[in-house]
Amino acid sequence: MDTPSARSPRDPAAGAVLTTELARERNREAADRTLLAWIRTSLAMVSLGFGMERFGQAAAGLDGGGYSPLKTRFYGAALIALGIVATLAGMWEHRIVVAAVSRDDYRYTDRPPIARWLGAGLIVVGTLALVAMLVAS
């Protein structure tokens, strides 16, 4: 049986197998780091959304009833939802990358630009919040 462990250390094929396995391990670890970055970004969006909603509640209490926290609640909820979607997208991408790297016939294939779509969603939420803030002034 010709397995990598049964080959001589001087056999060039043994080095190629080891190099390939190390490259696979680096790709798996890179996928894990990318997932952690997705989670970190999602946590920031959820935290900002929660903080925005709480700030709206506090402002309504200080204003004596003249301030409506509906806008901050809406935009806070939009950021929280975007954070949840980002987490799900990161987990989906991680699953696809790890499954692809684990196959023996692994070849890089282009994937959908998930981060670009989530960035566009964040731009939309931010633009709407800015417009609402400027109109309310």
Side-chain angles (χ1 to χ4, degrees), residues 83-105:
I84 292 168
V85 169
T87 301
L88 293 172
M91 291 170 63
W92 176 68
E93 183 179 9
H94 181 265
R95 183 186 61 80
I96 288 172
V97 169
V98 169
V101 169
S102 298
R103 290 195 316 256
D104 287 335
D105 62 340

Side-chain angles (χ1 to χ4, degrees), residues 18-131:
L18 179 62
T19 302
T20 301
E21 284 306 310
L22 289 175
R24 285 180 194 270
E25 186 59 31
R26 282 191 303 273
N27 285 333
R28 282 186 210 107
E29 290 171 357
D32 291 342
R33 286 190 302 273
T34 302
L35 177 60
L36 290 173
W38 278 99
I39 291 170
R40 184 176 52 245
T41 302
S42 300
L43 183 60
M45 283 191 279
V46 168
S47 299
L48 181 61
F50 182 75
M52 185 181 290
E53 195 275 332
R54 289 290 128 191
F55 179 75
Q57 293 292 329
L62 294 174
D63 193 27
Y67 176 78
S68 171
L70 186 61
K71 289 178 188 171
T72 56
R73 178 172 289 163
F74 172 76
Y75 294 114
L79 282 172
I80 291 170
L82 199 58
I84 292 168
V85 169
T87 301
L88 293 172
M91 291 170 63
W92 176 68
E93 183 179 9
H94 181 265
R95 183 186 61 80
I96 288 172
V97 169
V98 169
V101 169
S102 298
R103 290 195 316 256
D104 287 335
D105 62 340
Y106 172 69
R107 294 282 182 258
Y108 176 78
T109 56
D110 210 12
R111 294 185 306 273
I114 299 168
R116 197 174 315 146
W117 286 108
L118 287 170
L122 190 57
I123 289 171
V124 168
V125 170
T127 303
L128 291 174
L130 180 64
V131 168

